[in-house]
Amino acid sequence: MRHGHMFFRCALLGSAVAIATLTPALGAGGRSVEQKRVLAVEGHRTFAARASQSGLGAAQGTYTDLHDFAGGAGDGANPSGNVTLDDAGNIYGTTDFGGPANKGTVFKLAPNGTQTILHAFSGSDGEAPDGGVLLTRNGKLYGTASAGGSSGDGVLFSLSAKGKYKALHDFSDTDGSFLRGDLIRDKDGNLYGTGLFGGANDAGTVYKYASNGTFTVLHAFDVTDGEFPEHGVVSDQAGNLYGVTAFGGASDNGIVYKIAPNGTFTTLHTFTGGADGGFLYGGLDIDKDGNLYGSTVEGGANNDGTVFKLTQDGTLTTLYDFTGGADGSSPQSDVLLVGKNVYGANDEGGDPTCQCGVVYEVTAKGKAKVLHTFTAATGGEYSAGLVQNNGTFYGTASSLGAHSDGVVFSLTKK
């Protein structure tokens, strides 16, 4: 069922908000806190059929379905995080649901298609991992569960190469909750991530888990400086962290922020919800010069979202305005920078009968290509983002596919 994953994840919020509140008009002001909380978790979905406006033509990538999740005790269901690959070509990732307790899994997918559940969550050790896993050279995995643990607010965990699970930190709402997005690790072994909610103002946190086990909240958002940080952070060579918030800031349409190694917090851009876009859901990528790349779910020339570039001095350039047609709308994945091209996935648009989204490429000059158009058979609804290995892209779609429980896929450019 197309909408099933939405209902499951909304249940994690413990909110009685009507599903109708998930889709207020684009650019509409006055959203309640509860509406924003649900949107920050689920993104924006209209499911409205749209005519093709972009003229991009047929998809220009070769798509391969690597695994169709089936749920149940022996498989995961509804992957929401990015995947990672090891040198042997094994793919690692997480699913929100599935496993014996239906609390989510960490999985490994071998090059021959064999899937192994490395860990199945039970609730007390975490629940509903909503981000990918970070793979270290010794084969250890690090990740987060968005809920569960001793306080029900999520867990930071490690999983050894031999499959031994360890809870490194149980979140308690005051230090963050509803963990999502990928972790990053610095040269000293310190981990960094975000809590969508929680913190001193219940507007989300950025945190550090040091290699010696010390946990620190680096920043607690207060709405004026951003609200609900999405999908983790990226860093530059100097150790500065960069990220986005879904809402908050002067116009309540989200911000891009920077946190220096000394803890100094800087707002690099406040979105207006107009031509520059608004409502940021996916994570950023960064180039060697410190330029940041990202996307907005709403706003832009057609109110269907944008892809942008942001320099260190705060200059924002819109690289592409989505039309809501064949090129999709509502970009909600993390973006991936390969060379000078930006890659990502849209949650809506594309196939007019499915409206399941697309995988896109946007060049530095603003030229766009559709690499894949999702259908009910190939997955859709939400793709966390892409990773690239030897010229091939890998990703997940959280729903649809053969069993309607999501897929792992690969994609090569034609």
Side-chain angles (χ1 to χ4, degrees):
M1 182 178 180
R2 170 99 194 259
H3 312 302
H5 189 216
M6 183 194 312
F7 281 90
F8 275 127
R9 294 180 74 205
C10 285
L12 291 175
L13 288 170
S15 171
V17 177
I19 292 300
T21 66
L22 291 175
T23 55
L26 289 175
R31 288 171 173 152
S32 71
V33 173
E34 284 299 332
Q35 283 178 310
K36 290 192 293 182
R37 287 173 71 90
V38 174
L39 283 166
V41 171
E42 282 302 323
H44 181 276
R45 298 187 173 94
T46 63
F47 305 110
R50 300 286 293 275
S52 177
Q53 302 173 40
S54 64
L56 294 179
Q60 300 182 44
T62 300
Y63 176 95
T64 303
D65 186 334
L66 301 178
H67 182 73
D68 281 279
F69 291 99
D75 199 1
N78 306 124
S80 291
N82 295 324
V83 296
T84 189
L85 281 76
D86 64 19
D87 293 338
N90 297 298
I91 299 171
Y92 301 83
T94 64
T95 64
D96 274 1
F97 303 102
N102 200 30
K103 303 290 187 181
T105 70
V106 179
F107 68 85
K108 173 184 176 181
L109 186 64
N112 66 3
T114 301
Q115 191 218 192
T116 304
I117 293 180
L118 301 178
H119 183 75
F121 291 91
S122 64
S124 60
D125 60 350
E127 178 180 352
D130 204 58
V133 287
L134 185 155
L135 175 66
T136 62
R137 290 184 178 180
N138 64 3
K140 180 179 284 189
L141 299 172
Y142 293 92
T144 59
S146 67
S150 60
S151 299
D153 292 310
V155 178
L156 172 67
F157 67 85
S158 67
L159 192 64
S160 75
K162 295 183 178 181
K164 184 178 180 180
Y165 177 92
K166 182 178 181 180
L168 302 176
H169 182 76
D170 279 273
F171 287 79
S172 62
D173 192 54
T174 56
D175 54 8
S177 65
F178 205 99
L179 316 173
R180 76 173 343 163
D182 292 350
L183 297 167
I184 63 170
R185 189 169 183 248
D186 66 20
K187 59 182 177 58
D188 297 319
N190 304 308
L191 301 171
Y192 301 86
T194 56
L196 188 63
F197 306 133
N201 307 293
D202 200 22
T205 65
V206 180
Y207 62 83
K208 172 183 177 180
Y209 180 82
S211 57
N212 65 3
T214 302
F215 181 92
T216 306
V217 173
L218 300 178
H219 187 76
F221 292 91
D222 66 5
V223 182
T224 63
D225 63 356
E227 184 178 24
F228 309 148
E230 293 280 4
H231 287 90
V233 291
V234 296
S235 65
D236 61 21
Q237 294 182 349
N240 298 297
L241 304 177
Y242 303 87
V244 304
T245 66
F247 299 106
S251 300
D252 202 20
N253 279 287
I255 68 161
V256 176
Y257 62 85
K258 171 182 176 180
I259 300 176
N262 65 3
T264 301
F265 181 93
T266 304
T267 299
L268 297 179
H269 184 78
T270 299
F271 289 84
T272 67
D276 63 342
F279 180 15
L280 289 80
Y281 194 82
L284 301 169
D285 206 347
I286 186 169
D287 67 19
K288 61 181 178 59
D289 296 319
N291 299 308
L292 300 165
Y293 299 81
S295 62
T296 68
V297 177
E298 301 178 351
N302 306 298
N303 254 348
D304 285 300
T306 70
V307 175
F308 65 84
K309 173 183 176 181
L310 183 65
T311 63
Q312 287 288 318
D313 66 4
T315 301
L316 185 137
T317 302
T318 298
L319 299 178
Y320 188 74
D321 291 286
F322 291 97
T323 70
D327 60 345
S329 66
S330 304
Q332 297 185 179
S333 76
D334 297 349
V335 300
L336 174 68
L337 184 68
V338 179
K340 295 183 178 180
N341 296 334
V342 179
Y343 298 86
N346 287 343
D347 188 58
E348 300 178 23
D351 180 72
T353 60
C354 179
Q355 293 290 307
C356 300
V358 306
V359 177
Y360 65 81
E361 172 193 88
V362 174
T363 70
K365 294 183 178 181
K367 301 291 185 180
K369 293 180 181 178
V370 171
L371 301 183
H372 178 68
T373 300
F374 288 105
T375 66
T378 63
E381 187 172 300
Y382 169 70
S383 178
L386 304 170
V387 297
Q388 189 200 48
N389 186 50
N390 295 325
T392 298
F393 296 97
Y394 298 85
T396 62
S398 68
S399 188
L400 302 180
H403 308 292
S404 296
D405 286 317
V407 303
V408 179
F409 65 84
S410 67
L411 186 63
T412 56
K413 294 173 62 176
K414 292 180 180 177

